[in-house]
Amino acid sequence: MLTADQLLIELLERASSLTVTETIPTETALGRVLAEAEISTINVPPLDNSAMDGYAVRTAECHVDSILPVSQRILAGQIGEPLQDGSAARIFTGAPIPDGADAVIMQEHCQAEGTSVRLLRPVQSGENIRRAGEDIVAGDTILERGTRLHAAHMGLAASVGRAQLTVFRRLKIASFSTGDELAQPGSALKAGQIYNSNRYTLSGLIQALGCEWIDLGAIPDTLSATITALQRASMLADVIISSGGVSVGEADHIKAAVAQIGAIELWKVAMKPGKPLAYGRIDNTDFIGLPGNPVSAFTTFTLFTRPFLLKRMGATHVLPMSYSVPSASAWLKPGSRREFLRARVQHTDNGATEIQIYPQQGSGVLASAVWANGFVDLPAGQTVEIGDSVRFIPFSEVTQ
Ligand code: AMP
Ligand code: MG
């Protein structure tokens, strides 16, 4: 059995980045992975400009109670005239600083008097001027290859004029659930059945990564149905993800099926929830078999499958951040495997931060993953006393 750290290393070693790229409009690039570094050809801002609504002045001509005639008015988007000696230019936020001016005095520190302005405060050279290139200098690499694009990345690319970005193509993921007991939501439950939740959890997780989800539904617990589903999936997708049937029970056919038409390379990880997890290959398609228990499927996807998929997608940064936070819950049952407890980080009344651990940690208790907003990553054999610091991985780090 692999440790969780070993599994992650082994999976990442096997994750080869996509090579095919496409060029898409910048506004559609959310969640995509940049395939080429973006280098700016311009300064941002392009010109020195005003950070405030106020008056552009020559500070050498200014002191408290100076009265300066207002010689021009410069709005954002306009270029003013050089500043006349002994005058002030009315100027607005974002407007270029006129030649000759070396500061902007904010309007709250002035008093308009007819066509002149009285300065009420001292002003220093450079005050309220945003310098050309203060954000970006021409030639700067603004985004590295392998960056997964979020809102600020899209905005930054646009700020240097990029209407299009070159990204890796979408990763195609085919998923199916296994289990004779599974009923589809929308149909009535027959005796002995449960609703298929993993299909929905996985669809959300896969789509949140920006991958193309190929849904192969649910399949019965037979070797032949499993082989058929795997063969179909391997022709359609870059990665196959299954849920359930990956243990060694009589109704578990995943390992045998993959072994028959491909190879199983990794199996079983020493963690709770989630022990039975398999990695294999069928031709050039990766296969990841997740456990069937809903919390196990969620946990093994978010902590192991997601980094693997991100690397496959071409992303450089694939691992989540975690934080050390004091626990307000005790957890007194030491586990023989590393545990990922569903827990909630919250504010205390005095504004500090604390962890609450969900009391029911069964691998079938999916409500725990809705109540919680992250995992407490607890080493094997450890307990938690109230006040102990624990390692917390927010779901926001692993579900998008
Ligand atoms: P398995 O890994 O197939 O032995 O399944 C372990 C447990 O998870 C069993 O109780 C299954 O009924 C349950 N399970 C498996 N697949 C799903 C699914 N897609 N949705 C909800 N529960 C499931
Ligand atoms: Mg099963």
Side-chain angles (χ1 to χ4, degrees), residues 31-32 148 170 173 204-211 301 305-306 309-310 313 398-400:
R32 304 294 295 271
R148 192 146 169 258
R170 274 185 204 282
I173 302 180
L205 291 167
I206 291 167
Q207 293 181 84
L209 280 179
C211 297
F301 185 100
T305 311
R306 176 181 177 276
L309 296 176
L310 283 174
M313 290 161 64
V398 291
T399 59
Q400 55 194 6

Side-chain angles (χ1 to χ4, degrees), residues 167-199:
V167 297
F168 292 107
R169 73 162 171 84
R170 274 185 204 282
L171 191 70
K172 289 185 243 171
I173 302 180
S175 77
F176 61 87
S177 325
T178 68
D180 288 340
E181 72 279 31
L182 300 178
Q184 174 76 5
S187 66
L189 271 189
K190 298 193 189 104
Q193 286 189 321
I194 57 167
Y195 284 122
N196 181 350
S197 62
N198 289 344
R199 171 171 175 256

Side-chain angles (χ1 to χ4, degrees), residues 8-311:
L8 201 54
I9 291 167
E10 296 287 341
L11 281 174
L12 291 178
E13 256 171 31
R14 289 165 169 80
S16 55
S17 167
L18 290 171
T19 52
V20 176
T21 65
E22 58 185 335
T23 299
I24 61 169
T26 302
E27 68 273 22
T28 66
L30 186 67
R32 304 294 295 271
V33 178
L34 205 58
E36 294 171 355
E38 285 293 330
I39 297 166
S40 180
T41 56
I42 62 167
N43 289 331
V44 180
L47 299 172
D48 287 359
N49 68 92
S50 179
M52 290 284 173
D53 292 339
Y55 296 85
V57 294
R58 274 192 187 84
T59 50
E61 299 169 350
C62 296
H63 51 84
V64 174
D65 280 335
S66 301
I67 299 179
L68 301 172
V70 178
S71 54
Q72 60 175 321
R73 193 180 151 84
I74 313 169
L75 294 160
Q78 299 176 343
I79 297 287
E81 300 294 325
L83 185 66
Q84 284 172 27
D85 288 348
S87 80
R90 183 76 170 113
I91 195 164
F92 297 92
T93 305
I97 303 295
D99 283 348
D102 68 333
V104 170
I105 179 157
M106 62 194 283
Q107 63 190 19
E108 290 83 349
H109 294 173
C110 300
Q111 191 174 299
E113 297 189 352
T115 56
S116 296
V117 61
R118 179 191 293 270
L119 310 184
L120 304 177
R121 305 261 183 105
V123 55
Q124 302 223 320
S125 186
E127 200 170 299
N128 294 320
I129 294 182
R130 300 191 291 217
R131 294 293 173 194
E134 175 177 291
D135 184 0
I136 296 163
V137 176
D140 278 356
T141 297
I142 57 160
L143 298 170
E144 303 283 351
R145 172 189 158 93
T147 302
R148 192 146 169 258
L149 298 163
H150 298 306
H153 301 117
M154 294 160 67
L156 195 70
S159 79
V160 303
R162 291 283 187 280
Q164 296 185 316
L165 294 172
T166 299
V167 297
F168 292 107
R169 73 162 171 84
R170 274 185 204 282
L171 191 70
K172 289 185 243 171
I173 302 180
S175 77
F176 61 87
S177 325
T178 68
D180 288 340
E181 72 279 31
L182 300 178
Q184 174 76 5
S187 66
L189 271 189
K190 298 193 189 104
Q193 286 189 321
I194 57 167
Y195 284 122
N196 181 350
S197 62
N198 289 344
R199 171 171 175 256
Y200 297 82
T201 308
L202 290 176
S203 99
L205 291 167
I206 291 167
Q207 293 181 84
L209 280 179
C211 297
E212 187 185 322
W213 179 46
I214 303 165
D215 174 26
L216 300 183
I219 61 153
D221 286 320
T222 67
L223 184 63
S224 66
T226 309
I227 287 176
T228 305
L230 288 168
Q231 273 167 335
R232 197 168 150 228
S234 72
M235 287 186 289
L236 296 172
D238 303 303
V239 181
I240 307 168
I241 296 178
S242 67
S243 90
V246 73
S247 295
V248 288
E250 265 173 47
D252 295 332
H253 300 289
I254 286 286
K255 278 183 65 205
V258 175
Q260 229 180 80
I261 57 171
I264 292 281
E265 293 183 21
L266 307 169
W267 185 55
K268 266 197 181 175
V269 49
M271 64 180 271
K272 201 177 159 190
K275 186 164 67 176
L277 176 136
Y279 169 87
R281 297 182 137 273
I282 297 167
D283 299 324
N284 284 324
T285 303
D286 296 291
F287 167 80
I288 293 183
L290 303 179
N293 275 307
V295 180
S296 307
F298 174 75
T299 307
T300 50
F301 185 100
T302 53
L303 298 178
F304 303 101
T305 311
R306 176 181 177 276
F308 174 86
L309 296 176
L310 283 174
K311 188 160 175 225

